[in-house]
Amino acid sequence: MEETETDIEVLLECLKCQRNDAIGLKRTLSTLLSILGSDENTQEYFRESGGLHDVQNLFSQSISTEVQQAAMLCLACAVENNVFSQNALVNAETFSYLHQCLSEKHSRQYIQTASYFLMCLVTNNSVGQNLARESSCLSDALLLFRQCSEVNRMTHDSYEEVLLLWTSLTAALNGCVNNPQNEANQRLCSTILPLCFKIIAEENHHELCGPLLLFVGLTVSGNKLNQDRVRQSGGLDTMLNHLQKSLNRLDLGWRDEQHVLLISNALSSSMTDNERNIHFFLEHGGLHVLFSLLESLDMACDGVLGVVIAIGHVLEFAENRFAALTSKEQGKLIKLLTETQSEELVHAIKYVLSQCQELADGAENKEEEQTKIRSKIDELLAKIQHTEEMECLDDGQTLCRKGETAELRQTKDSLSNHLQGPSSNAQGQSVMSRIHQLCNEHGKSLAETLHGQTLNGQLSSTSNRLCLRNALSLTKRKVMPVMSV
């Protein structure tokens, strides 16, 4: 380490002595670059020795683009994955000069270096993310991204060069929106989402689509407005089709496997806690595509956990709208549960299976609830029919009619409690509302009709009982089909 420190001191002195020698400065900066990439201790000593300040001056004051490019690359290596060195350079002055570099017309290699420097400044740094937006560096990167979207029209000779620039720009944009999540930057980056989906739909190259899928996932993560924009611009359909095409290949190599996981992660980020997107995904058979992906992946693959979690999120919104998992798909989960040794994956699979059980229990409970309601209405109709028969008896059996009226009232109270109690559902309440409506149409309140009471406390007339019977019959006939599962 002492030898390295001595080398740094000598090289910094050389920078001061070579102010007017562009070739010498470039050579010295390249040597510093090779040293700074060794370890964190070297970065620390370089900062404490004033190296960041000296190289930053070269970056901002040099008129040679070659020296500027070498200085940016040296600074990027000096701050990469080093919070203290990063914070020393995250200021308005640095981003102002970086904006000039990105906005002026330079070579692709120069822009690639500037993009890499931007990425190192904003990664895991909220202050850097905000300065990138306020200094227009983020807007510059988005404009360059649009220009690179014509990569499919580039000649074969420049393809690799453009691809490197494409990857560098995408990495810089990812750093601007993620860790921590920056909603303002996400909103700005969402303007190129339609362009991303257009390229994904037209291209099959992993090198092009992979960075785009990663960018989409980070730009929409935790941002409902951006998630909605994905759906509105056809992104869900595009990514789902792209995933299905990738799975149709007979064998997934390692690169193919990583690519389908990028698609899955982007889809998952686009749907998390977004009910409308999940409904769209389910309607287009997305859940079964995820199971096809799960079956294609190696069980030891790290992405299996993400796929299972995505399935769990989708199932949260499947109730009352779409069918739950097939028995074959549940069998896949159970098989995976018995074979895996990952605790996280075990918990995720158990959560998905519990979702399936809740769906099944919910459907069973609803059917049982409706059966009880039908039974209560049938019972009440039978009581009314029996009371009408009692009307035909002679006056000497008035006591029997009174007893029957009390029993009828008790049955009515039981039905009312069942339909309007704390455990009732909206369907049960609709039954009572219909009964009220039909009874009121005949000029009698529900209580008066069911109790069969007149002003002198006697059993109501036959016409009123017929009104209730008709009301309940209509309710059972017209309302029950709506209540069916």
Side-chain angles (χ1 to χ4, degrees):
M1 182 61 189
E2 291 182 1
E3 184 178 349
T4 302
E5 293 176 356
T6 302
D7 291 340
I8 291 176
E9 292 174 358
V10 172
L11 290 171
L12 289 178
E13 287 297 323
C14 290
L15 290 178
K16 296 175 183 178
C17 299
Q18 297 171 332
R19 290 291 181 179
N20 299 320
D21 183 2
I23 297 177
L25 287 174
K26 184 179 178 181
R27 186 183 300 113
T28 303
L29 289 170
S30 298
T31 306
L32 270 174
L33 175 63
S34 63
I35 296 176
L36 290 172
S38 58
D39 55 39
E40 184 177 352
N41 292 330
T42 304
Q43 292 176 328
E44 295 289 339
Y45 187 79
F46 181 73
R47 183 186 72 252
E48 294 170 356
S49 301
L52 287 176
H53 180 266
D54 293 339
V55 178
Q56 186 181 21
N57 286 338
L58 287 175
F59 163 60
S60 59
Q61 297 174 7
S62 177
I63 60 174
S64 170
T65 56
E66 292 183 352
V67 173
Q68 274 190 338
Q69 184 178 344
M72 281 191 292
L73 194 55
C74 183
L75 290 173
C77 291
V79 303
E80 188 174 17
N81 299 323
N82 190 306
V83 177
F84 298 105
S85 296
Q86 185 186 49
N87 289 336
L89 282 186
V90 172
N91 51 59
E93 181 182 8
T94 302
F95 280 90
S96 177
Y97 287 116
L98 187 55
H99 164 57
Q100 294 179 14
C101 297
L102 291 169
S103 59
E104 296 175 357
K105 189 173 182 179
H106 292 289
S107 66
R108 293 196 189 105
Q109 190 177 8
Y110 182 96
I111 297 299
Q112 180 187 341
T113 302
S115 302
Y116 174 60
F117 185 29
L118 175 61
M119 181 202 72
C120 293
L121 290 174
V122 300
T123 299
N124 302 327
N125 193 301
S126 59
V127 177
Q129 290 175 342
N130 292 331
L131 284 172
R133 183 182 67 256
E134 295 165 2
S135 65
S136 297
C137 285
L138 179 55
S139 298
D140 296 332
L142 290 171
L143 179 60
L144 291 167
F145 184 91
R146 291 187 180 93
Q147 294 173 357
C148 281
S149 65
E150 297 186 359
V151 65
N152 58 331
R153 287 188 279 272
M154 296 293 176
T155 63
H156 180 72
D157 293 338
S158 61
Y159 177 82
E160 291 296 332
E161 186 179 341
V162 174
L163 184 59
L164 289 174
L165 175 56
W166 179 274
T167 306
S168 182
L169 281 169
T170 307
L173 293 174
N174 290 343
C176 287
V177 299
N178 183 55
N179 282 342
Q181 177 187 346
N182 192 306
E183 292 188 7
N185 288 1
Q186 282 182 323
R187 184 166 57 251
L188 194 58
C189 287
S190 69
T191 57
I192 63 171
L193 285 176
L195 175 60
C196 292
F197 298 131
K198 180 177 182 295
I199 297 172
I200 292 173
E202 296 175 350
E203 296 288 346
N204 293 319
H205 300 292
H206 294 350
E207 297 86 353
L208 287 177
C209 296
L212 292 183
L213 291 165
L214 181 59
F215 168 75
V216 170
L218 296 177
T219 302
V220 304
S221 178
N223 191 312
K224 190 175 185 303
L225 291 176
N226 284 2
Q227 290 174 337
D228 291 339
R229 188 159 191 168
V230 170
R231 183 187 68 255
Q232 294 161 0
S233 58
L236 287 177
D237 200 20
T238 297
M239 290 189 289
L240 191 56
N241 289 337
H242 192 62
L243 177 59
Q244 185 65 70
K245 289 179 181 178
S246 299
L247 291 175
N248 286 339
R249 297 174 182 172
L250 294 178
D251 296 311
L252 288 180
W254 182 84
R255 296 182 67 185
D256 296 327
E257 190 174 83
Q258 296 304 307
H259 185 70
V260 295
L261 288 177
L262 281 175
I263 308 173
S264 173
N265 291 337
L267 281 168
S268 180
S269 297
S270 301
M271 294 186 298
T272 303
D273 298 327
N274 191 309
E275 188 170 355
R276 294 187 66 180
N277 283 9
I278 290 178
H279 290 168
F280 180 94
F281 186 75
L282 284 165
E283 287 176 341
H284 289 74
L287 188 60
H288 305 300
V289 175
L290 287 180
F291 268 93
S292 298
L293 171 59
L294 193 63
E295 191 173 15
S296 302
L297 293 174
D298 185 347
M299 191 186 71
C301 177
D302 294 336
V304 172
L305 176 61
V307 177
V308 173
I309 291 176
I311 292 172
H313 287 161
V314 171
L315 280 177
E316 290 177 357
F317 294 91
E319 188 176 6
N320 287 337
R321 294 175 176 88
F322 306 95
L325 302 182
T326 64
S327 57
K328 181 180 178 181
E329 290 168 340
Q330 293 187 42
K332 292 180 184 178
L333 289 175
I334 295 173
K335 183 176 183 294
L336 184 59
L337 181 65
T338 58
E339 294 176 352
T340 184
Q341 296 183 0
S342 169
E343 292 186 7
E344 290 183 337
L345 186 55
V346 167
H347 290 314
I349 295 174
K350 286 183 177 179
Y351 172 73
V352 172
L353 293 175
S354 68
Q355 290 287 320
C356 300
Q357 187 61 41
E358 288 178 9
L359 291 174
D361 291 346
E364 183 178 346
N365 291 338
K366 283 180 175 55
E367 181 64 30
E368 182 179 353
E369 185 75 10
Q370 293 175 28
T371 301
K372 289 181 179 179
I373 293 174
R374 294 188 186 99
S375 176
K376 288 293 183 181
I377 291 179
D378 289 340
E379 182 181 352
L380 187 52
L381 283 170
K383 295 297 182 183
I384 293 173
Q385 180 68 31
H386 186 61
T387 303
E388 289 177 352
E389 294 175 358
M390 293 295 294
E391 184 73 15
C392 299
L393 299 178
D394 56 36
D395 295 337
Q397 293 180 320
T398 302
L399 184 60
C400 293
R401 291 198 301 272
K402 290 183 179 180
E404 193 67 28
T405 302
E407 185 177 358
L408 178 61
R409 184 186 302 115
Q410 182 178 4
T411 305
K412 182 275 304 180
D413 291 339
S414 175
L415 177 61
S416 298
N417 291 336
H418 180 74
L419 295 178
Q420 296 179 331
S423 62
S424 67
N425 53 27
Q427 297 164 329
Q429 293 174 4
S430 68
V431 175
M432 289 303 296
S433 298
R434 180 62 177 160
I435 294 174
H436 276 288
Q437 177 186 353
L438 291 171
C439 290
N440 288 337
E441 289 176 359
H442 290 79
K444 294 293 182 179
S445 68
L446 178 65
E448 182 179 353
T449 306
L450 288 175
H451 282 246
Q453 292 178 335
T454 59
L455 293 176
N456 58 5
Q458 300 299 319
L459 185 66
S460 64
S461 66
T462 302
S463 62
N464 285 340
R465 288 194 303 279
L466 289 173
C467 167
L468 175 60
R469 183 186 64 181
N470 292 336
L472 290 171
S473 298
L474 285 171
T475 300
K476 183 181 180 184
R477 183 170 66 255
K478 295 182 179 180
V479 177
M480 284 306 167
V482 179
M483 295 164 54
S484 62
V485 179

